[in-house]
Amino acid sequence: MGVFREIFAWWTGNTIGTRVYTALRGRLVGEDELGNRYYIQRRGKGPLGVPRRWVVYRELSEPSLVPAAWHGWLHYTHDAPPTERPYQPRQWEKPHRPNMTGTAAAYRPPGSILRPTRPERPRGPHEPWRP
């Protein structure tokens, strides 16, 4: 199913073109706990004057699945990948959580019609606004 999905399911991001480009031009730098694999350009430099860095996602191409340590490396915030210099999270940082939009765990602010419990209706007299 993997090769079939790579040929026909372009929305996963892991297509045959990505596989060929990575095999020809990429060098594996490391893998995170979610199974995403991170690469750097073997030779030459990209358009920014530095070697390109990219990720090949294990499943769906979802950028929110990149943990903070690897995000910093991908965006040139850190020169060394987390495999060479372990990432030390700050005390205020929470564990990585992917984007939950569209799921039951999505954030729904007070007053949202999608919230499981409805807010109470205001009590007392109500005067409509008149210009």
PDB file of all heavy atoms in Angstrom, residues 21-37:
ATOM      1  N   TYR A  21      13.975  12.708  -5.134  1.00  0.00           N
ATOM      2  CA  TYR A  21      14.759  13.889  -4.760  1.00  0.00           C
ATOM      3  C   TYR A  21      15.559  13.626  -3.489  1.00  0.00           C
ATOM      4  O   TYR A  21      16.748  13.952  -3.410  1.00  0.00           O
ATOM      5  CB  TYR A  21      13.823  15.094  -4.554  1.00  0.00           C
ATOM      6  CG  TYR A  21      14.551  16.358  -4.198  1.00  0.00           C
ATOM      7  CD1 TYR A  21      15.057  17.170  -5.195  1.00  0.00           C
ATOM      8  CD2 TYR A  21      14.733  16.733  -2.875  1.00  0.00           C
ATOM      9  CE1 TYR A  21      15.729  18.346  -4.887  1.00  0.00           C
ATOM     10  CE2 TYR A  21      15.410  17.894  -2.553  1.00  0.00           C
ATOM     11  CZ  TYR A  21      15.906  18.693  -3.564  1.00  0.00           C
ATOM     12  OH  TYR A  21      16.578  19.845  -3.246  1.00  0.00           O
ATOM     13  N   THR A  22      14.928  13.006  -2.513  1.00  0.00           N
ATOM     14  CA  THR A  22      15.606  12.713  -1.253  1.00  0.00           C
ATOM     15  C   THR A  22      16.726  11.702  -1.454  1.00  0.00           C
ATOM     16  O   THR A  22      17.812  11.846  -0.886  1.00  0.00           O
ATOM     17  CB  THR A  22      14.583  12.200  -0.221  1.00  0.00           C
ATOM     18  OG1 THR A  22      13.593  13.202  -0.031  1.00  0.00           O
ATOM     19  CG2 THR A  22      15.231  11.887   1.098  1.00  0.00           C
ATOM     20  N   ALA A  23      16.503  10.693  -2.279  1.00  0.00           N
ATOM     21  CA  ALA A  23      17.535   9.678  -2.519  1.00  0.00           C
ATOM     22  C   ALA A  23      18.737  10.273  -3.253  1.00  0.00           C
ATOM     23  O   ALA A  23      19.879   9.913  -2.962  1.00  0.00           O
ATOM     24  CB  ALA A  23      16.952   8.526  -3.324  1.00  0.00           C
ATOM     25  N   LEU A  24      18.496  11.194  -4.188  1.00  0.00           N
ATOM     26  CA  LEU A  24      19.588  11.759  -4.973  1.00  0.00           C
ATOM     27  C   LEU A  24      20.324  12.895  -4.260  1.00  0.00           C
ATOM     28  O   LEU A  24      21.531  13.026  -4.391  1.00  0.00           O
ATOM     29  CB  LEU A  24      19.064  12.267  -6.319  1.00  0.00           C
ATOM     30  CG  LEU A  24      18.526  11.214  -7.275  1.00  0.00           C
ATOM     31  CD1 LEU A  24      17.943  11.879  -8.507  1.00  0.00           C
ATOM     32  CD2 LEU A  24      19.612  10.225  -7.642  1.00  0.00           C
ATOM     33  N   ARG A  25      19.595  13.728  -3.527  1.00  0.00           N
ATOM     34  CA  ARG A  25      20.196  14.942  -2.992  1.00  0.00           C
ATOM     35  C   ARG A  25      20.240  15.035  -1.478  1.00  0.00           C
ATOM     36  O   ARG A  25      20.839  15.956  -0.944  1.00  0.00           O
ATOM     37  CB  ARG A  25      19.449  16.154  -3.520  1.00  0.00           C
ATOM     38  CG  ARG A  25      19.535  16.221  -5.019  1.00  0.00           C
ATOM     39  CD  ARG A  25      19.077  17.525  -5.509  1.00  0.00           C
ATOM     40  NE  ARG A  25      19.242  17.566  -6.958  1.00  0.00           N
ATOM     41  CZ  ARG A  25      18.977  18.598  -7.672  1.00  0.00           C
ATOM     42  NH1 ARG A  25      18.534  19.696  -7.109  1.00  0.00           N
ATOM     43  NH2 ARG A  25      19.146  18.570  -8.971  1.00  0.00           N
ATOM     44  N   GLY A  26      19.597  14.124  -0.777  1.00  0.00           N
ATOM     45  CA  GLY A  26      19.506  14.258   0.668  1.00  0.00           C
ATOM     46  C   GLY A  26      20.416  13.326   1.449  1.00  0.00           C
ATOM     47  O   GLY A  26      20.778  12.252   0.990  1.00  0.00           O
ATOM     48  N   ARG A  27      20.779  13.781   2.628  1.00  0.00           N
ATOM     49  CA  ARG A  27      21.529  12.965   3.584  1.00  0.00           C
ATOM     50  C   ARG A  27      20.706  12.920   4.863  1.00  0.00           C
ATOM     51  O   ARG A  27      20.335  13.951   5.414  1.00  0.00           O
ATOM     52  CB  ARG A  27      22.902  13.570   3.865  1.00  0.00           C
ATOM     53  CG  ARG A  27      23.720  12.784   4.883  1.00  0.00           C
ATOM     54  CD  ARG A  27      25.092  13.379   5.085  1.00  0.00           C
ATOM     55  NE  ARG A  27      25.085  14.766   5.500  1.00  0.00           N
ATOM     56  CZ  ARG A  27      25.025  15.182   6.776  1.00  0.00           C
ATOM     57  NH1 ARG A  27      24.943  14.305   7.745  1.00  0.00           N
ATOM     58  NH2 ARG A  27      25.053  16.469   7.057  1.00  0.00           N
ATOM     59  N   LEU A  28      20.412  11.719   5.353  1.00  0.00           N
ATOM     60  CA  LEU A  28      19.607  11.551   6.554  1.00  0.00           C
ATOM     61  C   LEU A  28      20.347  12.113   7.762  1.00  0.00           C
ATOM     62  O   LEU A  28      21.510  11.788   7.999  1.00  0.00           O
ATOM     63  CB  LEU A  28      19.282  10.076   6.780  1.00  0.00           C
ATOM     64  CG  LEU A  28      18.437   9.754   8.007  1.00  0.00           C
ATOM     65  CD1 LEU A  28      17.043  10.359   7.876  1.00  0.00           C
ATOM     66  CD2 LEU A  28      18.350   8.257   8.199  1.00  0.00           C
ATOM     67  N   VAL A  29      19.661  12.967   8.512  1.00  0.00           N
ATOM     68  CA  VAL A  29      20.250  13.577   9.705  1.00  0.00           C
ATOM     69  C   VAL A  29      19.721  12.893  10.955  1.00  0.00           C
ATOM     70  O   VAL A  29      20.459  12.675  11.901  1.00  0.00           O
ATOM     71  CB  VAL A  29      19.936  15.091   9.749  1.00  0.00           C
ATOM     72  CG1 VAL A  29      20.412  15.716  11.032  1.00  0.00           C
ATOM     73  CG2 VAL A  29      20.559  15.777   8.554  1.00  0.00           C
ATOM     74  N   GLY A  30      18.439  12.550  10.949  1.00  0.00           N
ATOM     75  CA  GLY A  30      17.870  11.902  12.119  1.00  0.00           C
ATOM     76  C   GLY A  30      16.392  11.635  11.958  1.00  0.00           C
ATOM     77  O   GLY A  30      15.780  11.952  10.937  1.00  0.00           O
ATOM     78  N   GLU A  31      15.834  11.052  13.007  1.00  0.00           N
ATOM     79  CA  GLU A  31      14.427  10.691  13.038  1.00  0.00           C
ATOM     80  C   GLU A  31      13.874  11.071  14.403  1.00  0.00           C
ATOM     81  O   GLU A  31      14.556  10.931  15.411  1.00  0.00           O
ATOM     82  CB  GLU A  31      14.283   9.190  12.794  1.00  0.00           C
ATOM     83  CG  GLU A  31      12.879   8.713  12.623  1.00  0.00           C
ATOM     84  CD  GLU A  31      12.817   7.248  12.195  1.00  0.00           C
ATOM     85  OE1 GLU A  31      13.735   6.770  11.519  1.00  0.00           O
ATOM     86  OE2 GLU A  31      11.822   6.608  12.560  1.00  0.00           O
ATOM     87  N   ASP A  32      12.628  11.555  14.433  1.00  0.00           N
ATOM     88  CA  ASP A  32      12.031  11.921  15.718  1.00  0.00           C
ATOM     89  C   ASP A  32      11.189  10.778  16.266  1.00  0.00           C
ATOM     90  O   ASP A  32      11.082   9.713  15.658  1.00  0.00           O
ATOM     91  CB  ASP A  32      11.232  13.219  15.604  1.00  0.00           C
ATOM     92  CG  ASP A  32      10.009  13.104  14.714  1.00  0.00           C
ATOM     93  OD1 ASP A  32       9.596  11.979  14.378  1.00  0.00           O
ATOM     94  OD2 ASP A  32       9.458  14.146  14.330  1.00  0.00           O
ATOM     95  N   GLU A  33      10.587  11.018  17.423  1.00  0.00           N
ATOM     96  CA  GLU A  33       9.804   9.978  18.092  1.00  0.00           C
ATOM     97  C   GLU A  33       8.514   9.639  17.358  1.00  0.00           C
ATOM     98  O   GLU A  33       7.915   8.599  17.605  1.00  0.00           O
ATOM     99  CB  GLU A  33       9.484  10.392  19.532  1.00  0.00           C
ATOM    100  CG  GLU A  33       8.677  11.659  19.668  1.00  0.00           C
ATOM    101  CD  GLU A  33       9.510  12.932  19.684  1.00  0.00           C
ATOM    102  OE1 GLU A  33      10.735  12.872  19.500  1.00  0.00           O
ATOM    103  OE2 GLU A  33       8.920  14.002  19.850  1.00  0.00           O
ATOM    104  N   LEU A  34       8.080  10.483  16.429  1.00  0.00           N
ATOM    105  CA  LEU A  34       6.869  10.219  15.653  1.00  0.00           C
ATOM    106  C   LEU A  34       7.160   9.444  14.368  1.00  0.00           C
ATOM    107  O   LEU A  34       6.241   9.095  13.638  1.00  0.00           O
ATOM    108  CB  LEU A  34       6.176  11.535  15.309  1.00  0.00           C
ATOM    109  CG  LEU A  34       5.743  12.382  16.510  1.00  0.00           C
ATOM    110  CD1 LEU A  34       5.239  13.742  16.035  1.00  0.00           C
ATOM    111  CD2 LEU A  34       4.689  11.667  17.305  1.00  0.00           C
ATOM    112  N   GLY A  35       8.428   9.234  14.048  1.00  0.00           N
ATOM    113  CA  GLY A  35       8.797   8.513  12.841  1.00  0.00           C
ATOM    114  C   GLY A  35       9.107   9.405  11.658  1.00  0.00           C
ATOM    115  O   GLY A  35       9.416   8.908  10.571  1.00  0.00           O
ATOM    116  N   ASN A  36       9.042  10.723  11.816  1.00  0.00           N
ATOM    117  CA  ASN A  36       9.408  11.646  10.738  1.00  0.00           C
ATOM    118  C   ASN A  36      10.918  11.601  10.555  1.00  0.00           C
ATOM    119  O   ASN A  36      11.667  11.513  11.525  1.00  0.00           O
ATOM    120  CB  ASN A  36       8.970  13.074  11.080  1.00  0.00           C
ATOM    121  CG  ASN A  36       7.480  13.179  11.288  1.00  0.00           C
ATOM    122  OD1 ASN A  36       6.708  12.477  10.661  1.00  0.00           O
ATOM    123  ND2 ASN A  36       7.075  14.062  12.181  1.00  0.00           N
ATOM    124  N   ARG A  37      11.364  11.700   9.293  1.00  0.00           N
ATOM    125  CA  ARG A  37      12.800  11.647   9.000  1.00  0.00           C
ATOM    126  C   ARG A  37      13.247  12.993   8.454  1.00  0.00           C
ATOM    127  O   ARG A  37      12.565  13.594   7.643  1.00  0.00           O
ATOM    128  CB  ARG A  37      13.072  10.536   8.000  1.00  0.00           C
ATOM    129  CG  ARG A  37      12.628   9.177   8.573  1.00  0.00           C
ATOM    130  CD  ARG A  37      12.837   8.108   7.593  1.00  0.00           C
ATOM    131  NE  ARG A  37      14.276   7.853   7.609  1.00  0.00           N
ATOM    132  CZ  ARG A  37      14.834   6.744   7.196  1.00  0.00           C
ATOM    133  NH1 ARG A  37      14.099   5.794   6.700  1.00  0.00           N
ATOM    134  NH2 ARG A  37      16.127   6.598   7.246  1.00  0.00           N
TER     135      ARG A  37
END
